[in-house]
């Protein structure tokens, strides 16, 4: 997942509208740091990201949910004395063919009549997908979880709020969450975050090559074990037998030469007898 643009309004200590354009302001930098004095709104920027993607923020949960039975309402992140707030995030994720799909996720809520003393109204979640011409196609815009949640799950490709908290938004007191995760959990989280499907495919092919090579090695090893290795005494005996056979072969060659000479002599005698 890659973040492109964060827009927020009336969230916590950040009153009014604020925009952080990561593409334009950072010039494509792959690493950056958010700095500022306490209370400047550094964590609120990350809250906006979490709200836009998941409709909740762990920092608010940790600060308010002292009693775990308490139902923490993300709407309380609205700046005091205001009647409406929102968080909008432009992000993209890699597709299997090497391209990227860009989305715009929004979270918003307001009080009755948008008055600071009005009752909270339902949170609305929306998701848009970018077209080839740069415009956005609305996929969902609703306050009902059963309506908007499937669209977000598909766009986030399985990334859960727990994954997000463990790897990207490490709220205070949760810095070891990713480190404490099991190896399988870490692998799943990192694969979804970094779109490492291509590396998973490479791993599968490497395992297939390893299995093939292992089978070939085991077969060669079996053939090698089937070969009989001679002892020194057995080798000496074979050498002696080879030398004896060579001697007999030489003697047979001499006898063959004599026999061939005798045949030639007899043939000549027969020819001379016929002519005489």
């Amino acid at each position: 997942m890659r973040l492109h643009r964060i827009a927020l309004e009336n969230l916590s200590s950040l009153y009014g509208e604020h925009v952080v354009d990561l593409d334009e302001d950072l010039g494509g930098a792959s690493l950056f740091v958010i700095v500022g004095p306490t209370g400047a709104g550094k964590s609120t920027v990350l809250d906006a990201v979490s709200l836009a993607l998941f409709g909740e923020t762990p920092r608010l949960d940790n600060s308010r949910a002292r009693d775990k039975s308490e139902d923490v309402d993300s709407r309380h992140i609205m700046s005091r004395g205001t009647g409406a707030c929102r968080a909008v995030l432009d992000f993209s994720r890699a597709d299997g063919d090497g391209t990227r799909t860009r989305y715009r996720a929004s979270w918003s809520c307001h009080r009755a009549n948008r008055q600071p003393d009005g009752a909270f109204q339902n949170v609305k979640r929306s998701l848009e997908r970018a077209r080839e011409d740069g415009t956005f196609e609305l996929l969902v815009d609703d306050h009902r979880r059963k309506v908007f949640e499937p669209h977000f799950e598909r766009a986030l490709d399985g990334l859960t709020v727990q994954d997000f908290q463990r790897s990207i938004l490490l709220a205070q007191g949760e810095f070891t969450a990713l480190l404490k995760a099991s190896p399988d959990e870490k692998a799943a989280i990192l694969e979804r975050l970094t779109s490492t499907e291509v590396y998973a495919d490479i791993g599968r092919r490497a395992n297939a090559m390893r299995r093939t090579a292992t089978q070939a090695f085991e077969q060669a090893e079996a053939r090698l074990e089937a070969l009989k290795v001679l002892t020194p005494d057995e080798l000496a005996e074979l050498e002696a037998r080879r030398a004896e056979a060579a001697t007999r072969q030489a003697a047979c060659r001499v006898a063959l030469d004599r026999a061939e000479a005798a045949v030639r002599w007899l043939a000549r005698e027969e020819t001379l007898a016929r002519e005489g």
Side-chain angles (χ1 to χ4, degrees), residues 99-210:
T99 61
R100 302 191 69 85
T101 300
R102 184 160 176 158
Y103 295 90
R104 176 170 293 164
S106 301
W107 174 96
S108 64
C109 73
H110 64 273
R111 293 179 180 271
N113 299 317
R114 298 186 178 272
Q115 296 301 311
D117 57 351
F120 278 128
Q121 303 300 298
N122 289 330
V123 168
K124 182 175 288 189
R125 304 282 305 280
S126 68
L127 183 66
E128 301 171 83
R129 181 173 55 208
R131 301 186 179 94
E132 293 184 0
D133 60 3
T135 61
F136 282 85
E137 169 193 8
L138 181 63
L139 300 178
V140 66
D141 183 22
D142 206 284
H143 67 275
R144 294 167 296 176
R145 179 178 295 274
K146 65 179 181 180
V147 175
F148 63 72
E149 197 165 61
H151 294 275
F152 278 87
E153 289 179 350
R154 285 193 292 270
L156 294 173
D157 195 26
L159 180 69
T160 67
V161 64
Q162 290 78 20
D163 297 341
F164 185 77
Q165 293 175 18
R166 288 174 173 176
S167 56
I168 298 177
L169 182 58
L170 297 178
Q172 294 181 6
E174 297 295 331
F175 292 105
T176 60
L178 179 60
L179 298 179
K180 290 181 178 179
S182 68
D184 290 341
E185 289 175 333
K186 290 178 183 177
I189 293 171
L190 293 175
E191 182 170 334
R192 288 194 291 270
L193 287 175
T194 58
S195 300
T196 55
E197 294 87 354
V198 61
Y199 302 110
D201 182 59
I202 291 174
R204 286 190 291 270
R205 286 184 287 168
N207 284 332
M209 294 174 63
R210 179 186 59 82

Side-chain angles (χ1 to χ4, degrees), residues 2-275:
R2 181 181 301 167
L3 308 185
H4 297 282
R5 185 176 184 273
I6 306 168
L8 58 95
E9 179 182 4
N10 295 334
L11 296 184
S12 192
S13 62
L14 294 180
Y15 284 79
E17 296 184 2
H18 302 270
V19 175
V20 180
D21 193 322
L22 300 177
D23 292 339
E24 181 177 347
D25 297 341
L26 299 179
S30 58
L31 182 65
F32 60 92
V33 60
I34 303 175
V35 297
T38 301
K42 302 183 297 297
S43 297
T44 303
V45 174
L46 298 180
D47 287 335
V49 174
S50 184
L51 286 169
L53 292 177
F54 305 104
E56 59 183 276
T57 171
R59 190 169 71 100
L60 179 62
D61 291 352
N62 288 341
S63 63
R64 295 181 60 89
R66 306 305 182 190
D67 177 3
K68 294 304 180 182
S69 64
E70 180 185 354
D71 183 16
V72 178
D73 191 337
S74 61
R75 293 176 294 185
H76 286 293
I77 199 171
M78 182 185 298
S79 302
R80 294 183 182 276
T82 63
C85 63
R86 67 186 178 95
V88 183
L89 173 68
D90 284 14
F91 70 96
S92 65
R93 65 176 180 83
D95 299 322
D97 57 1
T99 61
R100 302 191 69 85
T101 300
R102 184 160 176 158
Y103 295 90
R104 176 170 293 164
S106 301
W107 174 96
S108 64
C109 73
H110 64 273
R111 293 179 180 271
N113 299 317
R114 298 186 178 272
Q115 296 301 311
D117 57 351
F120 278 128
Q121 303 300 298
N122 289 330
V123 168
K124 182 175 288 189
R125 304 282 305 280
S126 68
L127 183 66
E128 301 171 83
R129 181 173 55 208
R131 301 186 179 94
E132 293 184 0
D133 60 3
T135 61
F136 282 85
E137 169 193 8
L138 181 63
L139 300 178
V140 66
D141 183 22
D142 206 284
H143 67 275
R144 294 167 296 176
R145 179 178 295 274
K146 65 179 181 180
V147 175
F148 63 72
E149 197 165 61
H151 294 275
F152 278 87
E153 289 179 350
R154 285 193 292 270
L156 294 173
D157 195 26
L159 180 69
T160 67
V161 64
Q162 290 78 20
D163 297 341
F164 185 77
Q165 293 175 18
R166 288 174 173 176
S167 56
I168 298 177
L169 182 58
L170 297 178
Q172 294 181 6
E174 297 295 331
F175 292 105
T176 60
L178 179 60
L179 298 179
K180 290 181 178 179
S182 68
D184 290 341
E185 289 175 333
K186 290 178 183 177
I189 293 171
L190 293 175
E191 182 170 334
R192 288 194 291 270
L193 287 175
T194 58
S195 300
T196 55
E197 294 87 354
V198 61
Y199 302 110
D201 182 59
I202 291 174
R204 286 190 291 270
R205 286 184 287 168
N207 284 332
M209 294 174 63
R210 179 186 59 82
R211 288 193 297 270
T212 301
T214 299
Q215 291 175 357
F217 173 78
E218 291 175 348
Q219 292 172 359
E221 195 173 45
R223 291 195 298 269
L224 181 62
E225 292 177 353
L227 297 176
K228 183 179 180 180
V229 180
L230 299 178
T231 65
D233 291 341
E234 291 173 333
L235 181 61
E237 181 182 354
L238 289 177
E239 288 290 344
R241 291 170 59 185
R242 184 187 67 80
E244 181 183 353
T247 301
R248 291 199 301 269
Q249 182 185 30
C252 291
R253 174 62 63 184
V254 171
L256 177 61
D257 291 343
R258 290 176 180 175
E260 289 178 345
V263 169
R264 291 194 296 272
W265 185 84
L266 290 173
R268 182 174 178 76
E269 284 293 316
E270 183 179 356
T271 300
L272 292 174
R274 285 198 303 270
E275 292 176 352

